[in-house]
Amino acid sequence: MSNSGAGALAWLTGMSDGPPDHSRSAVLRHAETVGAELTELLGTPVDAGRIVTGRAALLGLHRRGRISAGGATRLMPARDGWWALTVSRADDMAALPALVEADTVPEDPWPVIERWAAQRRCDEAVERAVLLDLPASRLGETVAAPPRVVRSGPRSAPRVTAGLLVADLSSMWAGPLCGQILAAAGATVVKVESPARPDGTRAGDPFFYDWINHEKLSYAVDFDRDHERLRALVNAADIVIEGSRAGVLARRGLTPEVLSGPDGRVWLRVTGHGPESQRVAFGDDAAVAGGLVGTSPSGPVFCGDAIADPLTGLESALAVTHSLGRGGGETLEVAMSAVAATYAALPTTASQSPAPAEVPKPPPRTAPAAALGADNAAVESLVSQRNSVPC
């Protein structure tokens, strides 16, 4: 296992004023096994250790115990256990008074939230948060499960990734990471965004956005008014990656059941808590839902940096690659919380270890990702060519 993996994960896990937590070293061993299999199948290097810890290195993040490395999520005790809440969007902050049943909350709302939660059961706290569309989870609420595979179209001959067209409708980290892995293996990946609501990571650290999206074409299309343009792209794609909540794409007629597409198409659906759930999730609260936390002597702490995201990206890329090898014609449903639960089920080791814990090393700088909509003309030309050729 590479030092950029296990040692860096331990360095990112544990209390901020305590030693690194090595209890989840098996997580990196398994992730690097996935990376090695992808490397062999795709013919391009997939460094799982660097993928899992790379964002933290780019942003200079450090372990913070029960505050996530990125700072947006807290792991808190309730009356009967632990739960996590993420506050990363303006709407999240606006919902906090209703969560804690108060008229207002202070600029730093966390002490108020923690006092409120301490008087309630975990399920009660999570249910109220979910009702307000806040990302929240109870520690260990999700059971481990592999990607769900549903037959959704005719198969083709087994295929490799190189030369395939991928429509990446996902955002943030897990889905886009899967798309970037496929792009590095020779697929033409089109990142699809709404001009009104582009991928939120565009507004964050540019080097992280570039790292996850630099080999993709950028296609800007209004999801509400330009159904035909979007439908044409999805119809032409060999692989579709999406992470919408249940019903969002169905209302626009954009589902594998409605759109025929080429034989062997693989439709990847990445969600926080499963395709039927309306719950929003981010990498840290999804990891808590799966029970993937450090087991320090002082109690549960966050493991790594939003770890459910990169693990889900890796597992999704592997699931897509295996599906192509079977001839596709499948819908793959991957839930971040279930991926986290699968990794949480791996054996834990002692929290304190003589093994080195190293500061995460950033991935190599990449070329800048395409500006929003920069490749619209090229994408539409490509789609027109593909849709004019009989399948």
Side-chain angles (χ1 to χ4, degrees):
M1 180 168 43
S2 69
N3 288 336
S4 65
L9 183 63
W11 193 89
L12 289 168
T13 306
M15 301 302 289
S16 59
D17 58 352
D21 183 343
H22 293 261
S23 61
R24 291 297 183 178
S25 60
V27 167
L28 260 297
R29 283 198 293 271
H30 188 74
E32 291 189 341
T33 299
V34 172
E37 185 174 358
L38 282 168
T39 297
E40 180 177 357
L41 292 172
L42 298 176
T44 189
V46 178
D47 186 342
R50 191 63 58 85
I51 284 172
V52 170
T53 62
R55 189 185 82 146
L58 285 171
L59 303 184
L61 304 182
H62 190 268
R63 62 182 179 275
R64 302 175 68 181
R66 296 187 183 102
I67 302 174
S68 64
T73 310
R74 302 290 175 105
L75 184 57
M76 298 171 283
R79 280 169 41 192
D80 59 347
W82 294 85
W83 74 298
L85 175 70
T86 298
V87 179
S88 62
R89 305 166 297 175
D91 288 347
D92 297 337
M93 184 62 73
L96 293 182
L99 174 69
V100 299
E101 303 167 80
D103 293 331
T104 61
V105 295
E107 185 176 350
D108 177 7
W110 290 109
V112 173
I113 298 170
E114 290 170 356
R115 288 194 296 270
W116 174 84
Q119 302 172 35
R120 286 159 179 81
R121 294 178 292 105
C122 279
D123 286 345
E124 181 183 353
V126 171
E127 287 169 8
R128 186 170 181 84
V130 170
L131 183 66
L132 294 166
D133 201 33
L134 290 165
S137 60
R138 175 171 52 84
L139 178 59
E141 68 174 82
T142 304
V143 299
R148 182 171 177 243
V149 180
V150 180
R151 183 72 178 271
S152 57
R155 295 195 186 280
S156 67
R159 295 184 290 174
V160 296
T161 304
L164 299 184
L165 177 62
V166 181
D168 182 2
L169 282 67
S170 64
S171 61
M172 304 306 287
W173 194 351
L177 170 60
C178 175
Q180 184 60 37
I181 291 172
L182 299 178
T188 298
V189 180
V190 178
K191 182 170 181 61
V192 185
E193 299 171 83
S194 166
R197 297 188 64 182
D199 188 333
T201 55
R202 276 191 181 272
D205 185 274
F207 298 117
F208 174 70
Y209 183 84
D210 292 344
W211 178 40
I212 299 300
N213 296 289
H214 70 280
E215 291 184 284
K216 304 175 186 178
L217 301 175
S218 176
Y219 190 52
V221 57
D222 190 306
F223 281 40
D224 294 314
R225 292 186 293 181
D226 292 332
H227 289 182
E228 293 307 316
R229 292 171 61 207
L230 187 55
R231 186 176 291 112
L233 170 60
V234 174
N235 261 332
D238 301 292
I239 301 168
V240 178
I241 303 172
E242 53 107 341
S244 301
R245 297 199 219 186
V248 171
L249 292 183
R251 290 192 293 271
R252 296 168 170 83
L254 298 170
T255 65
E257 295 78 21
V258 173
L259 299 175
S260 54
D263 288 355
R265 180 183 59 199
V266 178
W267 192 291
L268 171 66
R269 185 170 288 143
V270 179
T271 62
H273 297 278
E276 291 81 24
S277 175
Q278 291 290 339
R279 292 169 63 181
V280 65
F282 292 94
D284 285 304
D285 54 84
V288 170
L292 184 52
V293 293
T295 59
S296 73
S298 61
V301 293
F302 284 107
C303 176
D305 168 36
I307 196 167
D309 269 307
L311 294 180
T312 300
L314 285 165
E315 293 289 343
S316 295
L318 185 60
V320 167
T321 305
H322 283 165
S323 181
L324 291 172
R326 293 190 294 267
E330 298 174 339
T331 296
L332 312 175
E333 297 173 349
V334 184
M336 292 199 298
S337 58
V339 171
T342 300
Y343 279 80
L346 297 170
T348 57
T349 56
S351 174
Q352 298 188 24
S353 168
E358 299 183 355
V359 176
K361 297 179 175 62
R365 290 291 175 91
T366 66
L372 180 63
D375 303 300
N376 274 24
V379 170
E380 290 178 3
S381 175
L382 174 62
V383 168
S384 177
Q385 293 171 22
R386 290 179 65 97
N387 281 337
S388 67
V389 176
C391 296

